[in-house]
Each structure stands twice: as structure tokens, then as C-alpha cells.
């Protein structure tokens, strides 16, 4: 309010009215004419005052507790701060270790296929781009990324770049129903097209309806014209089920992707395609099957009435009456004096 003659007169008038109301209230006692106004004001402003008091009293109590606790409270606060810092450091160390491991695996795979990659981290997933299976990464046009570039990690094919901003990009994941990639079967080179099915295995249609495909076979990307959107040789997945062809021109199999799409963190964008098709070089080596144990030959020996031991071929291999260390020839049974019995030996030889 501006300091004018009218404002000063209004202030003096308000003060005079206030003193007059105070005087009337005091003289009226319990039957004060302003009592009704006072109750109405209490009804309106009472809850507000209670709320303010409830909010202020704990603050005042806390301030008093801090003031009274002194050094003890300061020490507790310092210990809590140190504990929180240690927890943060431990969590950060574990996360950094995981990132280093993922990056190392990805670099080894990229080296095996001679892929030139740009590493990036996943910063968002799915909902920002609608109902599609997509991720957002922290690399964009300023990092050399372009639309329709292959995205992979240490396990295999992740997807392809669909939109690129200055510092971020969107990647359509390989399990999205709108995602299709050309594939090649390991060793046999049978060609097909893999389509995403969300949380279910990829559906792969082979061009050859009589293709020899079995459970456990692995697939890699076939590659696109000018290496966009897909470079060749990136691992795709492993066959888990084969549908019978039924005389169809194509054959459908179901493939479990190597990549876990729900736990993506570090990915690589292929910014430079390999000079030569790596074919199956990026696939991990198949574990060797354990050799079947060789059967141990067994010999069945039958005791004859004369004490000779005869094997399954009818050959005399010993005599139960022979004493240890005896030099008697097989088939000769000792007589009572310990000498070999010629008649028994002849009989044994004749049987053999």
C-alpha cells in the first residue's frame, strides 16, 4: 500500500474499530455480542490451526532433540552416511564387474566376426515406443549411428536400429512380431527367414521343405544387400522344435534365441561390416560328446567232471585240482602222487 493521507486515515480508523470491539467484548462477558462471530471464526480456522500445529510440533521436537543430542547425534549421522556410501560403492563395483564381463564377451565375438562395433548401453525399454519390443540406447547420430544397422551383444543378434536421434537411438528387438531376418543353417547352409514371436521361440521358415533340420542345430544371419540392415554371420539361435513338412514347399522350425531380451544392458552397433562372410566362426564351439565306454570282454569258464576248466570256445584253460605254482600243462590233472595223469591229459586234449 502506498503511504498517502488516505491510507493513514484508513489505518487509524481500523485501529479505533479494533479497540472498540475489544472494549465491547470485555464488558459483555459471556453474553458478548461478538461471541457468535468468534465461534464462526473458530469453526472455519480451527482445523487449519490444528493442522499447522500438528505439522510444526514434530519439527520443533526434532529440532530440540538435535540440539540436546549434540555430538552423539552428529556421530550417528556420520556413521549412517559412511554406511550408505559403502553400500553404494559395493553395488557400483558389482555392476561395473558385470558390465566389464559383458563388454569383454561382446568384443571377443566382434573380433571373431571382424565386426566394427560401437558400444552402447540400454537406457530405456519398450513402453516409450508403444507396444513393440524395443529398447533405447545412449548412442546416436553424433556417434556415427544410422538407421538399419545391426545390433548385437556377446550372445548374438539383438535387433536393428530403427530411429536415430543426436545422442540416442531406438532398436527393434529380434523377438518383435514385426522383425524378420534371413538365416542360414550351420554346416548345411539351408536358408530361411526368422520371425519374432514375443516371449516364444522364433519361427523360422526354411525355403527347402525337405531340409534336414534337427533339434540342436544352430543358425546365423544370412546377411542383407550392402550389409543393411543385417551383416552376415551373427548367431541367431538354436533349434528347439521341428514341425513335419507335410509336403509343403517350406518347412517351419522353432528357434530359441541366444540373446536374453529381458536382461539387455551392454550392446554393440555394427558400424563397419566384415570384409568377408565369417559364416560359422562367431558361433561358440560345440561341446564334445563323451565317448561311450568300450565293453570289457568277458570269458565264461565251465568246470568239467574231471576238474578241467573249459572256456566258451571249448578250450581248456586250467584245472581246479591244480596246486598253485604247479607246472602241469592245462588239461592234465594230477594224480594222488602229484604227477600228471597221462590218461586224463589225453582225454582233455581229445575233447579240445
Amino acid at each position: 500500500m502506498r503511504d498517502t493521507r488516505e491510507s493513514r486515515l484508513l489505518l487509524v480508523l481500523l485501529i479505533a474499530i479494533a479497540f472498540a470491539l475489544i472494549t465491547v467484548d470485555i464488558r459483555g462477558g459471556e453474553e458478548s455480542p461478538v461471541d457468535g462471530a468468534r465461534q464462526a471464526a473458530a469453526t472455519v480456522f480451527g482445523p487449519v490451526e490444528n493442522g499447522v500445529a500438528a505439522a510444526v510440533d514434530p519439527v520443533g521436537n526434532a529440532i530440540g532433540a538435535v540440539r540436546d543430542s549434540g555430538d552423539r547425534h552428529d556421530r550417528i549421522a556420520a556413521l549412517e552416511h559412511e554406511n550408505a556410501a559403502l553400500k553404494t560403492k559395493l553395488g557400483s563395483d558389482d555392476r561395473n564387474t558385470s558390465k566389464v564381463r559383458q563388454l569383454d564377451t561382446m568384443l571377443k565375438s566382434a573380433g571373431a566376426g571382424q565386426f566394427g562395433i560401437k558400444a552402447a548401453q540400454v537406457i530405456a525399454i519398450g513402453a516409450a515406443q508403444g507396444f513393440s519390443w524395443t529398447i533405447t540406447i545412449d548412442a546416436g547420430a553424433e556417434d556415427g549411428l544410422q538407421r538399419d544397422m545391426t545390433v548385437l551383444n556377446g550372445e548374438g543378434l539383438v535387433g536393428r536400429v530403427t530411429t536415430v536421434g543426436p545422442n540416442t537411438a531406438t532398436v527393434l528387438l529380434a523377438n518383435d512380431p514385426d522383425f524378420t531376418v534371413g538365416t542360414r543353417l550351420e554346416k548345411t547352409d539351408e536358408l530361411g527367414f526368422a520371425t519374432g514371436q514375443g516371449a516364444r521361440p522364433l519361427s523360422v521358415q526354411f525355403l527347402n521343405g525337405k531340409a534336414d533340420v534337427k533339434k540342436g542345430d544352430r543358425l546365423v544371419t544370412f546377411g542383407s544387400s550392402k550389409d543393411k540392415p543385417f551383416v552376415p554371420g551373427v548367431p541367431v539361435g538354436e533349434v528347439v522344435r521341428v514341425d513335419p513338412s507335410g509336403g509343403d514347399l517350406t518347412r517351419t522350425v522353432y528357434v530359441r534365441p541366444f540373446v536374453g531380451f529381458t536382461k539387455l544392458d551392454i550392446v554393440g552397433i555394427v558400424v563397419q561390416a566384415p570384409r568377408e562372410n565369417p559364416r560359422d566362426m562367431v558361433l561358440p564351439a560345440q561341446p564334445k560328446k563323451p565317448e561311450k565306454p568300450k565293453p570289457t570282454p568277458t570269458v565264461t569258464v565251465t568246470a568239467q567232471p574231471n576238474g578241467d576248466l573249459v572256456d566258451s570256445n571249448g578250450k581248456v584253460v586250467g584245472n581246479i585240482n591244480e596246486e598253485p605254482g604247479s607246472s602241469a600243462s592245462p588239461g592234465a590233472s594230477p594224480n594222488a602222487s602229484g604227477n600228471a595223469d597221462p590218461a586224463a591229459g589225453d582225454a582233455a586234449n581229445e575233447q579240445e
Side-chain angles (χ1 to χ4, degrees), residues 16-141:
I17 293 173
F19 275 105
L21 291 174
I22 292 172
T23 302
V24 172
D25 185 44
I26 293 174
R27 289 183 178 182
E30 295 180 357
E31 298 179 357
S32 172
V34 298
D35 187 63
R38 182 186 297 111
Q39 291 180 357
T43 301
V44 174
F45 297 105
V48 177
E49 293 175 346
N50 291 334
V52 173
V56 172
D57 287 344
V59 176
N61 295 336
I63 294 175
V66 172
R67 182 176 58 252
D68 295 336
S69 62
D71 295 340
R72 179 176 60 85
H73 181 80
D74 294 340
R75 179 57 179 164
I76 293 175
L79 291 174
E80 290 177 348
H81 179 73
E82 292 177 3
N83 190 24
L86 287 173
K87 288 182 178 179
T88 302
K89 183 179 179 181
L90 289 175
S92 177
D93 288 345
D94 292 341
R95 183 168 176 78
N96 289 337
T97 301
S98 175
K99 287 183 178 180
V100 170
R101 183 171 59 252
Q102 294 179 51
L103 184 60
D104 181 63
T105 305
M106 183 175 67
L107 291 176
K108 288 181 179 179
S109 297
Q114 298 299 307
F115 304 127
I117 64 171
K118 169 67 179 180
Q121 184 173 0
V122 177
I123 57 176
I125 185 169
Q129 292 81 24
F131 296 99
S132 300
W133 287 76
T134 57
I135 57 173
T136 302
I137 56 177
D138 62 351

Side-chain angles (χ1 to χ4, degrees), residues 39 74 92 170 189 212 239 252 264 288 305 309 311 314 339 350:
Q39 291 180 357
D74 294 340
S92 177
T170 302
D189 292 339
D212 183 16
V239 176
T252 302
L264 292 171
K288 294 183 179 180
L309 300 177
D311 62 14
N339 298 323
E350 194 173 272

Side-chain angles (χ1 to χ4, degrees), residues 179-333:
F179 186 97
T180 301
V181 58
T183 62
R184 183 179 58 79
L185 192 64
E186 180 185 13
K187 297 179 181 179
T188 64
D189 292 339
E190 292 286 355
L191 302 181
F193 292 94
T195 303
Q197 297 193 111
R200 295 178 296 168
L202 305 177
S203 173
V204 180
Q205 284 192 330
F206 283 97
L207 302 181
N208 181 6
K210 298 181 180 180
D212 183 16
V213 188
K214 58 184 180 297
K215 184 178 179 181
D217 287 346
R218 302 181 296 179
L219 293 88
V220 298
T221 57
F222 177 68
S224 307
S225 174
K226 298 182 180 179
D227 300 314
K228 285 189 176 182
F230 303 109
V231 295
V234 180
V236 175
E238 180 180 334
V239 176
V240 292
R241 182 161 65 91
V242 180
D243 282 354
S245 61
D248 296 335
L249 297 178
T250 61
R251 187 168 196 177
T252 302
V253 302
Y254 297 92
V255 174
R256 181 180 64 246
F258 290 127
V259 173
F261 297 106
T262 59
K263 52 182 180 180
L264 292 171
D265 189 8
I266 303 297
V267 298
I269 302 87
V270 181
V271 295
Q272 183 176 359
R275 294 182 179 179
E276 297 181 359
N277 188 341
R279 301 188 66 81
D280 303 330
M281 294 179 61
V282 186
L283 286 169
Q286 288 275 30
K288 294 183 179 180
K289 296 181 180 179
E291 296 182 359
K292 294 182 179 180
K294 295 181 180 180
T296 303
T298 57
V299 178
T300 302
V301 179
T302 305
Q304 300 297 317
N306 60 358
D308 289 339
L309 300 177
V310 181
D311 62 14
S312 57
N313 296 324
K315 182 179 180 180
V316 178
V317 296
N319 191 285
I320 58 176
N321 296 320
E322 289 181 356
E323 295 180 359
S326 174
S327 59
S329 60
S333 57

